Amino acid sequence: MSEFVDRVSVHVKGGDGGNGSAGIRREKYKPLAGPNGGNGGDGGSVILVADANANNLLDFRFLPHRSAGNGTMGLGDTKDGSRGEDLILPVPLGTVVFEAKGPVGRPKKPGKVLADLRHQGETFVAAAGGSGGLGNAALANKTRRAPGFALLGEPGQERDLLLELKSIADVALVGFPSAGKSSLIAAMSAAKPKIADYPFTTLVPNLGVVKYGDYRYTIADVPGLIPGASQGKGLGLEFLRHIERTEIIVHVIDCATLDPDRDPLSDYRALEEELALYADALKLPLGSIPIPDRPRIIVLNKMDVPEAKELAEFVRPEFEKMGLEVYEVSTASHEGLKEFGFALGKQVQEMRRQVLDQEQAEDEARVVIKPLEETGRRRRREDGRGSASDFSIVREEDRGGDFWFTVTGAKPERWVMQTNFDNEEAVGYLADRLAKLGVEDELRHLGARPGDEVRIGQGDRAVAFDWDPTIAAGAEILDGANLGARGKDLRLEEQEAGGRRRTNEERRRQYHEMMDARAAVRQAMMAERKAGHWADPSLDDDRHDEHGILGRGEDSEPATPGDQA
């Protein structure tokens, strides 16, 4: 017989997004013809789906770690990576998903309710996949025309969940141990629960499908309850949650008990007190009927015993005075089962209609805001402009006097995970985004100085660095200067001595300057030629020029013979 599991802890992880590509289109005579890197594929998600064919959580007991597929990396020629495959996990109807709390290696406790999967086909994204990184083609703009970097893919969501099954049945059978609940469900349905003559025979809830005429409904056999079950006594605390989703509560009372301290009326009052205590601490989903308002039916069992028959005739008027329906049955001789089955089916049909109307009323009263449908992949804003509410900065200090500034927020933490810190241009791009978001202004407002430690994020994914607002920022931002792209592209430094690629306007201006200089040289040379300044260098036409080609430096007038004498 398979083990019944109704509470498990599971560790789920969404797929990581693929990295973007930093490809460059290469053409003849154009080694850097433009960026063409594609975006990385998104990671797959872990999705829980309510399935009527699933009856327990046994699969999660043996495989508690589940993860979805990763996205692939983008390629050149603007080829985007493929999306990771989603992991679809079927769970039984009535599964409640809690946020698991507790230290590592210890049993988890339920925290915040994340989802309540009650109907067929309802889904819940247990762990969302990470977004793929943008390629350099998507990062290009008018100030950064050829980015030499791409964004990294974001890691998928990872967390611990607690799955708890609250059986969805139309009728719940409650009663003291050995009251005959398992025998009743076995007599009315095809279920084969364990039946024995000792208390707490039923250790797990049993479900049975009952069909009488046109009526078809489900009965849940809850393990025996005793006084104190709502505080954890006996087995009641573990299985009281299985009556939360039932529409009708049937009290199965043993009229043949040999315990002198028990009688049908005291059994009924004791169990109702435990149900009331459990209902006070219970948060029911929208549209559900509170446990105290659900109809009660009394079943006086074991009518095949003569003493039980006499006791039933004595206590039946007392229950009817309370406005309760009473049925006398025997699971051994099947006495009264047919009458009880048809009456129960009629009551179930009425309660289903009432619950449906109440759920529709609750849905109409709620205001549901749905996001607009988007076709295709939405391009993220490259500038990352935001407000101060998008992040928060706290100055922290330890006992040794060391202090640092911690920056938290969805945008800064996501941008840090997307940055390749081995690429200086990518780090400059991150600095641009943080500056435009207002992080540097807020750090300056809190008294941060260059060299102070700044941490972005928390936990293992936090990134620490020394704050340096002078990297092509700082005063330039305060002066209102148009901040360009920070960081350096090593490819362009090797390509041009100026350390960056010239714009078309600069190319045109330099070309015209060069052509004007050539024209001026030609004009000057033509003027010298017309003035006779040009001569054959092989002829010594000026023998008195000591700086001439021959350099003889003779006097301008020849000496006379008298002078020589």
Side-chain angles (χ1 to χ4, degrees), residues 407-418 456-458 461:
V407 181
T408 58
K411 288 185 177 180
E413 293 180 22
R414 187 178 73 246
W415 293 345
V416 165
M417 290 186 293
Q418 294 175 340
I456 299 180
Q458 295 178 340
R461 296 181 177 178

Side-chain angles (χ1 to χ4, degrees), residues 32 62 85 116 133 175 210 217 357 361-362 412 472 475 549 553-554:
L32 296 177
F62 298 108
E85 185 177 359
D116 189 355
V210 180
Y217 50 92
D357 295 340
E362 293 287 349
I549 297 177
E554 297 181 358

Side-chain angles (χ1 to χ4, degrees), residues 366-442:
R366 287 187 300 170
V367 178
V368 181
I369 301 176
K370 296 182 179 180
L372 297 176
E373 294 184 0
E374 298 180 358
T375 58
R377 174 167 178 162
R378 182 183 64 178
R379 174 170 173 168
R380 304 171 189 159
R381 290 187 57 184
E382 189 272 340
D383 56 4
R385 295 187 182 276
S387 60
S389 60
D390 294 330
F391 65 92
S392 62
I393 303 179
V394 179
R395 186 180 186 276
E396 300 182 11
E397 186 174 352
D398 57 13
R399 297 181 179 179
D402 298 330
F403 67 91
W404 62 89
F405 296 89
T406 301
V407 181
T408 58
K411 288 185 177 180
E413 293 180 22
R414 187 178 73 246
W415 293 345
V416 165
M417 290 186 293
Q418 294 175 340
T419 302
N420 179 13
F421 288 92
D422 295 333
N423 188 305
E424 185 178 352
E425 188 180 3
V427 177
Y429 176 69
L430 173 63
D432 286 340
R433 304 176 86 178
L434 295 176
K436 292 178 181 179
L437 186 63
V439 173
E440 292 190 349
D441 292 337
E442 186 67 17

Side-chain angles (χ1 to χ4, degrees), residues 184 188 212 299 303 327-331 333-343:
L184 181 61
M188 298 181 66
Y212 278 97
V299 172
M303 291 297 102
Y327 295 91
E328 299 177 8
V329 302
S330 171
T331 57
S333 62
H334 288 204
E335 176 186 349
L337 290 183
K338 186 175 183 180
E339 179 187 0
F340 171 65
F342 276 102

Side-chain angles (χ1 to χ4, degrees), residues 146-170:
F149 68 98
L151 298 184
L152 303 179
E154 299 178 20
Q157 187 180 15
E158 185 175 4
R159 57 181 175 179
D160 293 325
L161 301 176
L162 189 65
L163 306 183
E164 186 176 277
L165 175 60
K166 298 179 179 180
S167 301
I168 294 182
D170 299 305

Side-chain angles (χ1 to χ4, degrees), residues 15-21 38-44 69-75 79-84 129-134 152-154 377 380:
D16 298 335
N19 299 335
S21 173
N39 302 325
D42 296 337
N70 299 329
T72 61
M73 180 179 178
L75 302 176
K79 295 180 181 178
D80 295 340
S82 60
R83 191 181 187 278
S131 300
L134 296 180
L152 303 179
E154 299 178 20
R377 174 167 178 162
R380 304 171 189 159

Side-chain angles (χ1 to χ4, degrees), residues 114-159:
L114 302 178
D116 189 355
L117 306 177
R118 296 185 295 160
H119 303 97
Q120 174 69 23
E122 287 185 343
T123 61
F124 169 69
V125 179
S131 300
L134 296 180
N136 62 347
L139 295 173
N141 55 26
K142 62 181 180 181
T143 58
R144 182 184 281 105
R145 302 195 176 190
F149 68 98
L151 298 184
L152 303 179
E154 299 178 20
Q157 187 180 15
E158 185 175 4
R159 57 181 175 179

